[in-house]
Amino acid sequence: MTIPEYPHFETTESLAQKMEISKEGLSGETAEKNLSLYGPNEIPEKKHSLFILFLTQFKSPLIYVLLVAAALSFFLQNIHEGFLILLIILVNALIGFWQEVKALSSIRSLKKLTESKTQVRREGEIFPVPSSALVPGDVVLLSEGDIVPADIRLFDSNGLVIDESILTGESVPVQKDANLTLRKETLPYELDNMALSGTTITKGNAEGFVVLTADKTYLASIAGKAEEESPDTPLTKALEVFIKKHMLILSVLILLTAILAFGQGRDGIEIVYLIIAELVSAVPEGLPIVVTLVLTIGAMALSTRKVYIRHLPSVETLGSATVIASDKTGTITQGKLEVKEVFSLNETFSQTVSALANESVEGKGDPLDTALALWLGKAYESIREKYPRVNLYPFDTKYRLMASSNMIQKEHKIFVKGAFESLKQFAVNRDDFETLEKEHDRLASNGLRVIALGTGEHTTDDIEQWQIEIVGMVGFLDPPKEGVLEAVETAQKAGVKVMMITGDNPLTAAAVARSVNIYKEGDLVVTGKELNEMDDTALEEILPKVTVWARVLPEHKHRIVKMLQKLGEVVAVTGDGANDVPALKAADLGIAMGGGTDAAKSTAKMVLADNNLSVIVQAIRQGRTIAGNIRKSIYFLVSTSLDEVILITGAILMALPLPLYPVQILWINLVSDSALDKTFPFLKEEEDVMHKAPTRLREKFLDKIQLLRVLYAALVISLGALFMYVWMLEHYGKEYAISTLFTAFVIATWINGLQSLKENEPFLKNIKKSLQINPYIFYGIGIGSVLQLFAIYVLSDIFHTLPLDAGSLTLIGCMALWVFFMIEIRKWGEYFWKKR
């Protein structure tokens, strides 16, 4: 048996000859032989080790830092903190592991699409077999409601219409004709003489030869791409960049401190404890907890808008998105046709044909029929009752029309609707052709799907003998959803490019995209066929200019996403069918629709209950606010850990005693930092985040401006503390100086926390906003104050503290004012600089 590479290019006779088969079907012996040769008709599933999948969740610089922090906590006998950090690591790993396991189920969902019983003819007898037992050469019988179990070359078709949305994403069913032979380079959505695996028969019946099974089918090629690993989220990448920069700076400082301490002749044990103290102060161990809390609260906020997050870091990915690659049907448009424009040579006859050549019942049926019924309104039922039907002629794939014969009073008439080119063959009113052709082209150029309406005397059931008069034409459009236009404009103002990817034809796609401002003058519309002819260099060149991709296939969508990522874009992709699985998996953020297939939902990282582009844009706003909150958290935690390192390094440089005991450093990290950082997830939006472009990945959390701000705050706090420490050593002695500095440092940290709430505006510019942007921080300061007083007066022996007197309080107050106003001066300077 030889299976031709292009079965659609062969006539059924030449195909049967090459494959050594007949329309009577295979013999049982040949079927067994082919089963052993080609294997079961199942999509193969790649085996994965769950243990290896779990271990890969620990591959992250942040995890390594946390493990160091946990080890230090245990070394310093801070057992509770050590176990808390290990618990965070484990929970993060379990969440990532669960996501990976769920993603694997998308392959199983694709597999289920073709699991069924199939009617086959073998040795002239018809009987059902499991779809997995089908082999190349089998003769399969297809009828309405069947799921196509393999790729089949049809040899007989009777009014066959197939829903191929699972492969192409286009909801309008496709007519099939077994008598056609097609070009070799025909694309999958043009295979009008084949039935492809996973698609659904909506009308008619057919017979055909199985040509491709299992992993050779077109559906299996989609599943193969779904095996690819999803990219790391922008948050993960950005945090890794941040951790590397942070640890590099700290390593240099700690190494410098150790060398200086050794050079001063300090005791070896003292140097070891010094290094440990600096490491403990330097590692922002609270960061993973804060980031997780920010993401969790963000996910909860999104759920109130019917946006459900399946992968926690994806909450922030929304805020990083630079491109939204959206489906048309159901996301941008309503997913149902409506009559947009009607041209009539005879308005009464146009309405009569629309009502009678129609099978819609109570708003259900073919999308075209339903749209016509809605357009006619109450007249639909009254016309049908007035003129009873005699015969119905279902859609004929050869002539591309359907018809109904009805009694009009005592006359038997035929009412026909179908493609304009088809109705022209039977039309007698040729004088109207010029006008009709002009109107047809006008409607089509506006992106409308056009059908012609005709009527005539019923004289025969033979379609070829009919004589009709074309009385009008109807243009249909799948209208945009409410709010989509505004959402697109909001996204564009925010620097997010919106592009539409659809299986629809380019004219219709461009018209819809133009109506919602996705497509503008000068933009490009590219088809899947054109994309096939481009190499990567050509695609890279035109990609920035393209806003509409039409007649695309799953592999096209996947390629577009990968190329966008290669160009540095962060891509959010929407999808609801199995055809979308490869792109959803490859995207930085795969967004599935609530009414979509299990395959799409199990692959995506986010699911929308409300299939609407405007919901995605709202979610991007939330994502940007979340990213801003993480950035502010990092500023606060890094500046308040770096200031301790600078303080200790400064004391070593000046050959002074250590200004803080290791236990005090731990307390500052545990109380002063933790009392505030857990409130950062509740920060409100500081400004309209949709009025600026997305931040580049490497600049998201520790860009030059952020780094300078962190260094400035750390220097302000540490130098102020160092100056105060030196002065107190001279006037009050070591124990008094360390005790006062301990509390002053805690208060300074809280002042820095208050200043962290607003990144782009001085605290005093809008005091009401400053106090309301995060009221929970004041609860944190209140709890921290109680704990600090407890450490001073109850656990004084452990924390080496003395009671606070008027002198201590004065110095602490001066330190607080110093930190507040120095940071405020920096903010006002930046504010006026931007204004200028």
Side-chain angles (χ1 to χ4, degrees):
M1 175 184 283
T2 302
I3 302 173
E5 186 178 356
Y6 304 103
H8 56 272
F9 176 69
E10 307 285 341
T11 63
T12 52
E13 291 76 15
S14 68
L15 182 72
Q17 188 178 355
K18 289 179 180 179
M19 293 183 69
E20 301 172 21
I21 54 178
S22 74
K23 294 180 181 179
E24 292 302 304
L26 301 174
S27 66
E29 185 182 341
T30 306
E32 286 295 325
K33 179 183 172 185
N34 286 357
L35 186 62
S36 62
L37 186 63
Y38 296 102
N41 179 34
E42 296 175 336
I43 296 177
E45 191 175 342
K46 187 178 174 183
K47 299 295 181 186
H48 295 269
S49 165
L50 295 181
F51 179 68
I52 297 297
L53 271 179
F54 181 70
L55 286 183
T56 56
Q57 307 308 312
F58 296 92
K59 286 169 57 181
S60 165
L62 187 60
I63 297 297
Y64 305 149
V65 171
L66 284 173
L67 288 172
V68 170
L72 290 173
S73 297
F74 287 126
F75 180 81
L76 295 167
Q77 298 184 339
N78 192 352
I79 307 300
H80 290 91
E81 184 173 300
F83 277 117
L84 179 61
I85 294 170
L86 290 178
L87 181 63
I88 291 164
I89 294 171
L90 181 62
V91 169
N92 281 339
L94 288 171
I95 290 170
F97 175 68
W98 177 78
Q99 169 65 21
E100 291 285 348
V101 171
K102 288 295 288 181
L104 292 177
S105 69
S106 65
I107 310 301
R108 299 187 195 104
S109 299
L110 287 171
K111 244 178 119 176
K112 289 177 184 176
L113 291 170
T114 53
E115 291 176 0
S116 59
K117 289 278 187 180
T118 304
Q119 294 289 325
V120 300
R121 183 185 288 115
R122 288 182 181 170
E123 296 179 305
E125 292 187 15
I126 297 171
F127 54 90
V129 300
S131 57
S132 58
L134 284 178
V135 294
D138 261 327
V139 172
V140 172
L141 286 72
L142 300 169
S143 57
E144 191 171 322
D146 286 350
I147 294 174
V148 180
D151 287 358
I152 296 167
R153 170 62 165 97
L154 304 169
F155 61 72
D156 181 35
S157 59
N158 180 23
L160 186 68
V161 180
I162 299 183
D163 177 3
E164 294 186 339
S165 59
I166 189 171
L167 301 179
T168 65
E170 187 49 45
S171 58
V172 178
V174 180
Q175 290 84 38
K176 299 289 181 177
D177 187 348
N179 297 319
L180 298 173
T181 52
L182 305 169
R183 294 175 298 111
K184 285 182 180 178
E185 54 276 4
T186 303
L187 293 172
Y189 54 68
E190 297 172 328
L191 294 176
D192 293 336
N193 61 4
M194 290 191 66
L196 299 179
S197 178
T199 59
T200 306
I201 312 296
T202 57
K203 282 184 186 177
N205 52 71
E207 293 185 37
F209 296 121
V210 172
V211 288
L212 298 170
T213 59
D215 58 349
K216 304 298 181 189
T217 64
Y218 182 61
L219 180 67
S221 71
I222 297 174
K225 286 187 172 59
E227 291 276 9
E228 294 181 12
E229 285 189 19
S230 294
D232 286 335
T233 64
L235 174 62
T236 305
K237 292 176 187 174
L239 282 176
E240 286 187 6
V241 170
F242 155 70
I243 290 294
K244 286 173 183 174
K245 286 181 181 177
H246 182 58
M247 295 314 293
L248 178 65
I249 293 167
L250 292 176
S251 298
V252 171
L253 280 173
I254 291 170
L255 181 64
L256 178 65
T257 305
I259 292 169
L260 288 170
F262 183 77
Q264 290 172 355
R266 296 190 185 234
D267 187 65
I269 295 295
E270 185 187 355
I271 293 173
V272 170
Y273 270 95
L274 173 67
I275 291 170
I276 289 172
E278 290 210 325
L279 273 173
V280 169
S281 63
V283 175
E285 66 271 17
L287 181 60
I289 305 173
V290 175
V291 169
T292 303
L293 275 172
V294 171
L295 295 175
T296 303
I297 289 166
M300 290 168 64
L302 287 170
S303 69
T304 63
R305 297 177 180 179
K306 299 184 178 179
V307 177
Y308 302 107
I309 302 299
R310 298 185 62 255
H311 184 222
L312 206 53
S314 301
V315 177
E316 188 279 329
T317 307
L318 280 163
S320 304
T322 59
V323 175
I324 300 172
S326 175
D327 274 351
K328 175 182 76 73
T329 307
T331 308
I332 292 172
T333 65
Q334 294 177 16
K336 58 183 181 181
L337 293 174
E338 71 173 27
V339 174
K340 184 70 176 176
E341 195 170 342
V342 179
F343 171 75
S344 296
L345 292 173
N346 186 312
E347 189 176 343
T348 302
F349 277 156
S350 291
Q351 292 186 359
T352 306
V353 176
S354 298
L356 300 179
N358 196 315
E359 294 182 74
S360 177
V361 178
E362 295 180 353
K364 295 178 182 177
D366 181 88
L368 286 173
D369 288 352
T370 304
L372 286 170
L374 286 170
W375 169 61
L376 291 168
K378 293 179 181 178
Y380 177 70
E381 292 296 342
S382 63
I383 293 170
R384 290 168 70 85
E385 288 173 10
K386 188 175 180 181
Y387 306 125
R389 177 176 285 169
V390 179
N391 288 311
L392 174 69
Y393 301 88
F395 187 87
D396 187 287
T397 53
K398 180 180 178 182
Y399 296 107
R400 295 170 65 207
L401 57 81
M402 66 86 62
S404 173
S405 70
N406 297 66
M407 296 305 298
I408 307 298
Q409 295 170 353
K410 294 182 179 181
E411 294 183 54
H412 191 185
K413 288 189 173 288
I414 189 81
F415 299 93
V416 188
K417 80 171 190 295
F420 175 56
E421 291 300 319
S422 300
L423 266 63
K424 277 171 65 178
Q425 299 174 47
F426 314 107
V428 294
N429 56 328
R430 296 186 176 275
D431 293 343
D432 297 321
F433 277 14
E434 187 178 343
T435 303
L436 289 167
E437 283 174 356
K438 184 179 176 182
E439 288 300 318
H440 174 274
D441 292 347
R442 183 182 65 80
L443 293 171
S445 65
N446 287 334
L448 303 181
R449 186 178 177 192
V450 185
I451 63 164
L453 308 171
T455 182
E457 298 293 329
H458 182 274
T459 55
T460 175
D461 288 333
D462 184 357
I463 295 176
E464 290 189 0
Q465 302 299 316
W466 287 354
Q467 289 189 328
I468 63 169
E469 206 175 298
I470 298 178
V471 294
M473 278 180 292
V474 183
F476 299 85
L477 184 69
D478 182 3
K481 284 188 170 180
E482 189 178 343
V484 168
L485 173 61
E486 293 79 3
V488 170
E489 289 175 346
T490 301
Q492 290 169 343
K493 283 177 186 173
V496 180
K497 180 177 180 178
V498 182
M499 58 170 57
M500 189 169 79
I501 303 181
T502 177
D504 213 335
N505 71 71
L507 280 174
T508 303
V512 171
R514 189 183 292 110
S515 70
V516 293
N517 219 25
I518 290 175
Y519 175 82
K520 298 172 184 172
E521 199 65 40
D523 290 348
L524 295 181
V525 178
V526 177
T527 65
K529 192 175 288 186
E530 291 167 338
L531 182 58
N532 262 6
E533 295 165 0
M534 292 181 199
D535 59 17
D536 283 353
T537 305
L539 175 58
E540 190 173 328
E541 190 176 326
I542 68 149
L543 199 56
K545 304 170 190 172
V546 182
T547 51
V548 178
W549 302 89
R551 300 300 278 161
V552 296
L553 293 164
E555 57 266 35
H556 296 147
K557 194 170 182 177
H558 178 266
R559 185 184 174 196
I560 291 163
V561 170
K562 297 294 276 186
M563 183 56 73
L564 285 166
Q565 290 171 327
K566 184 182 174 184
L567 295 177
E569 305 288 358
V570 177
V571 189
V573 170
T574 70
D576 57 5
N579 63 306
D580 296 309
V581 166
L584 289 171
K585 190 78 183 286
D588 296 285
L589 180 63
I591 305 171
M593 303 308 162
T597 62
D598 288 341
K601 284 189 278 191
S602 60
T603 305
K605 293 175 180 174
M606 189 171 103
V607 179
L608 297 186
D610 182 1
N611 302 4
N612 196 317
L613 185 68
S614 61
V615 175
I616 298 171
V617 174
Q618 289 170 11
I620 286 176
R621 178 186 291 277
Q622 184 75 30
R624 288 191 173 188
T625 302
I626 288 163
N629 290 352
I630 293 173
R631 180 179 167 90
K632 290 174 183 179
S633 303
I634 286 174
Y635 165 83
F636 171 66
L637 288 169
V638 175
S639 60
T640 53
S641 60
L642 191 60
D643 56 13
E644 295 168 29
V645 176
I646 295 172
L647 173 65
I648 294 167
T649 304
I652 297 297
L653 282 169
M654 298 171 71
L656 300 172
L658 284 180
L660 293 169
Y661 289 101
V663 69
Q664 291 176 332
I665 293 172
L666 275 174
W667 181 258
I668 290 168
N669 289 353
L670 185 66
V671 175
S672 62
D673 290 7
S674 298
L676 267 62
D677 63 19
K678 305 303 181 292
T679 70
F680 275 71
F682 302 98
L683 264 168
K684 297 171 187 172
E685 187 177 294
E686 181 181 344
E687 56 190 357
D688 190 346
V689 293
M690 299 302 276
H691 277 174
K692 58 182 180 181
T695 308
R696 286 194 300 176
L697 178 66
R698 294 188 175 273
E699 297 178 353
K700 185 169 285 291
F701 297 130
L702 205 62
D703 59 334
K704 288 178 183 176
I705 293 173
Q706 174 89 319
L707 187 58
L708 288 171
R709 287 171 178 170
V710 164
L711 286 171
Y712 180 85
L715 284 168
V716 164
I717 297 170
S718 56
L719 293 179
L722 197 60
F723 177 82
M724 190 176 83
Y725 181 54
V726 171
W727 189 86
M728 282 192 295
L729 281 175
E730 291 178 4
H731 293 81
Y732 294 99
K734 177 185 171 184
E735 291 305 315
Y736 184 90
I738 290 176
S739 176
T740 305
L741 182 64
F742 173 43
T743 300
F745 215 88
V746 169
I747 302 296
T749 299
W750 293 342
I751 295 297
N752 187 31
L754 285 171
Q755 285 283 18
S756 303
L757 300 180
K758 288 163 68 178
E759 181 180 3
N760 301 307
E761 190 178 75
F763 189 92
L764 297 176
K765 183 179 181 298
N766 188 337
I767 296 177
K768 184 179 178 183
K769 181 180 175 182
S770 301
L771 296 175
Q772 292 179 347
I773 195 168
N774 183 14
Y776 295 100
I777 199 167
F778 299 106
Y779 294 113
I781 291 172
I783 293 167
S785 299
V786 172
L787 292 172
Q788 183 66 19
L789 291 171
F790 187 78
I792 294 169
Y793 293 104
V794 178
L795 303 175
S796 56
D797 291 341
I798 296 173
F799 288 101
H800 309 280
T801 55
L802 299 171
L804 298 173
D805 58 19
S808 298
L809 292 172
T810 302
L811 289 167
I812 290 167
C814 290
M815 177 72 175
L817 290 171
W818 159 261
V819 172
F820 180 86
F821 282 108
M822 287 303 292
I823 294 175
E824 187 72 0
I825 288 167
R826 188 265 299 166
K827 284 189 171 184
W828 278 106
E830 283 186 21
Y831 178 77
F832 285 122
W833 179 264
K834 285 178 186 174
K835 282 282 185 183
R836 195 185 72 171

